[in-house]
Amino acid sequence: MTGEASVAAGSTIDALGQFELHPVLGSLGEALRFSQSPLFMLIAVVLVLAFLFIGMRPASVVPGRLQAAAEIGYDFIHDLAIGTMGEEGAAFFPFVFALFFFILAGNYLGLLPFSFTYTSHIAVTLALAVTVFLISILASLRFQGLGFFKHFMPAGAPVWLSPLLVPIEILSFLSRPVSLSIRLFANMVAGHVLLEVFAGFTIMLAGLGFFGHILAVAPIAINIALTALELLVGVLQAYVFAILTCIYLREAVAH
Amino acid sequence: MHRTPRLFLFAAPLAAVPGRAVAAGMPQLNVHDPLLIGQVVWGAVIFAGFYIVLSRSALPRIERVLSNRRTRIQNDLDIARRAKAESDRASAELLSTRHEAAAQARANVERIQNEARLSAEAHARETAKRLEADVANAEARIAQSREQALSSLPAIATGTAQNLVSRLIGDQDEQTIASAVKRVSA
């Protein structure tokens, strides 16, 4: 969303410039390869932890507003994780919680002006998805041993179909991290490109004189609606990521 | 000289391509950007830290508060359930006591009514007996008076007849009149 400044002189819209990485903290950031993306990850993590720690500080039996909010967040992910994975998957609950709030905070922070959406980088979402993928494989091997490989041959299918079925199953299994990461990445990029494009329309129309000034209100109205949509998409994508993680891990722990 | 601008125009995009080809596209796909890899490494470190703080401190803290509340509510519910059972027992006791008392009261009332009836009956019998005796007495007295009256009747009749006869005929044969009266009254 830093892109308003990068809209070139009212003639073209640079919708992708907002995703560029710039080192922060000058040469130190450059040397550490510390861009605004990890900075916002840090901000997101600190905000979430502050929310939890400050919210739970009273630790009272009858919670106040902030504590109730923190507890709702906990209960929401706890019900999601345990409801999907069962009690065997309780060990993965903190991981699912971390994933959900890391993505949610990233999506929402990105909606603030002059901020950066780290979930709009395929490298980040792919890293998260690969982490989920590897953890689910390791959990499968630990909970099921080599029986894990039986999943590539659907139970009850005729044996003569196995040359066809096994490659398909392997392919669908391997495509999981790809679909998981691209879904989140594409959603965030699309939303932010749209916001940028409509913001650019406003600037372009404003350059047309009096009627332009009036017409320029329309893209702003659209952007308000888009922001509302992005608020929905942000929580929805975090939820989808979390619940798919739960489903993959459920296959690993419960067979 | 003539070709230079053309050559320049032709070469310029070519020269620009290696540098701009990726930058012109999505910055997310610019794998040569050291910051792109940097954010993944930093992201891994930050996410790992986030996970550790969450799993070691933040989430157990919430879980403790929630489980405290659960046990507290459970205890309170148990206390309430016990109290309810006790009050149920007490109210059952009260009810049975009331039933007993009511039954006893009914029995008492019945007994007293019975007694009253019996005593009333006895009283009535006694009164009837007394009245009967009175009636018998009175009858005896009446009979006596009647007898008396009847016994004095011939003398009165004779006197009256004598009086009548003497007024009518002036003759008075006491013997005759008395025998006539006796004949008539017999």
Side-chain angles (χ1 to χ4, degrees), chain A residues 8 33 42 46 49 65 72 82 85 87 90 97 123 170 193 198 203:
Chain A
R33 297 181 175 187
L42 211 54
V46 167
L49 289 178
R65 280 186 206 181
I72 287 169
I82 303 304
M85 296 187 285
E87 284 299 328
F97 189 95
I170 289 174
V193 165
F198 280 100
I203 294 173

Side-chain angles (χ1 to χ4, degrees), chain A residues 19 37-38 40-41 44 99-111 116-126 128 180-190 192 230 233-234 237-238 241, chain B residues 28 39:
Chain A
F19 303 117
S37 170
F40 275 96
M41 290 178 192
L99 269 180
F100 178 80
F101 277 97
F102 189 71
I103 295 168
L104 180 70
N107 294 350
Y108 275 7
L109 272 183
L111 287 175
F116 181 82
T117 322
Y118 54 79
T119 43
S120 68
H121 266 253
I122 181 76
V124 175
T125 61
L126 189 64
L128 290 173
L180 200 57
S181 58
I182 289 180
R183 183 182 302 113
L184 176 58
F185 154 74
N187 267 288
M188 298 328 291
V189 168
H192 283 81
E230 281 302 296
V233 168
Q237 288 307 317
F241 205 103
Chain B
Q28 292 99 317
Q39 75 168 344

Side-chain angles (χ1 to χ4, degrees), chain A residues 179-243:
Chain A
S179 66
L180 200 57
S181 58
I182 289 180
R183 183 182 302 113
L184 176 58
F185 154 74
N187 267 288
M188 298 328 291
V189 168
H192 283 81
V193 165
L194 270 179
L195 287 172
E196 177 91 40
V197 165
F198 280 100
F201 283 169
T202 302
I203 294 173
M204 284 174 161
L205 286 168
L208 293 181
F210 179 70
F211 287 108
H213 280 278
I214 292 171
L215 286 175
V217 174
I220 293 176
I222 290 173
N223 254 1
I224 291 171
L226 278 176
T227 307
L229 180 70
E230 281 302 296
L231 285 172
L232 176 68
V233 168
V235 73
L236 202 64
Q237 288 307 317
Y239 180 73
V240 165
F241 205 103
I243 199 164

Side-chain angles (χ1 to χ4, degrees), chain A residues 16 19 21 23 32-34 37-38 41 45 52-53 56 59-61 67 71 74 95 97-98 120-121 123 189, chain B residues 25-28 34-36 38-40 42-43 46-47 50-51 53-55 57 59 61-63 65-66 69 72:
Chain A
L16 295 172
F19 303 117
L21 296 167
L32 293 173
R33 297 181 175 187
F34 196 86
S37 170
M41 290 178 192
V45 164
L52 293 179
F53 279 112
M56 294 313 288
S60 56
V61 174
Q67 190 186 336
E71 285 174 12
Y74 178 95
F95 177 60
F97 189 95
S120 68
H121 266 253
V189 168
Chain B
M26 299 183 94
Q28 292 99 317
L35 291 173
L36 194 80
Q39 75 168 344
V40 173
W42 278 112
I46 292 166
F47 187 80
F50 185 45
Y51 173 77
V53 176
L54 277 180
S55 61
S57 173
L59 296 180
R61 190 174 298 220
I62 302 177
E63 175 56 37
V65 171
L66 291 182
R69 180 176 310 152
R72 176 118 178 234

